[in-house]
Amino acid sequence: MSEQFLSVRDAIINRRSIKKFNGQSVKREDLLGIVDDAVWAPNHGNREPWRLVIACDDDLVALHQLLRELAVPKWQELSSEDLAKQMAKFTLPGGYAFVIVPEDARQKERLEDYAAASIFIQNIQLLAWDKGIGSCWKTPGFLDNPKFREALKVQPGERVIAMLQVGYFDEVPKGKERKTSAQFVTNFGE
């Protein structure tokens, strides 16, 4: 793990979602160190409305088997080569963090918790980027699959809001243009 120490602005502007990982494993202690810093995300009432299920190192074999079953239709019928191609998007990340939040019956609190968890996820992504670790926040449909929820020990009243893939990469994707404030800001009273 390299120490880069980016400015906040550089981290925000230069961070990219990484979809092509190189297969190098992310050490659990490195990911947990990032998470320990990310918890400083602002959150309403200091509820810290998140919990994570982390998969690194030896955990990845069982996770890959679960992902194969839930995310690759008719995987048993594929050749080993075709299956490997389909699974690359799951096997090349060096670790995973699944973010789980409570589903408060009160709409205000539920929205506040989702917003806080989103900031927490962004913190993870920025802190990882500063360490040379890429990430990609994904929300595949299988996050709500009962078998997947059971594997993650998601309780009634909780929801998995993110599959955060993390890992090392060889190439930084080119950034896409973003809107400027002039395109979406209206001055009050105008």
Side-chain angles (χ1 to χ4, degrees), residues 35-43 48 50 119-120 123:
V35 169
D36 284 339
D37 289 341
V39 299
W40 288 93
N43 60 94
E48 297 183 71
W50 48 72
I119 297 167
F120 170 63
N123 280 359

Side-chain angles (χ1 to χ4, degrees), residues 1 13 26 48 51 57 76 79 90 100 117 122:
M1 181 168 72
I13 292 172
V26 173
E48 297 183 71
R51 72 180 187 87
D57 309 319
Q76 302 94 330
S79 69
F90 300 119
I100 301 167
Q122 176 74 353

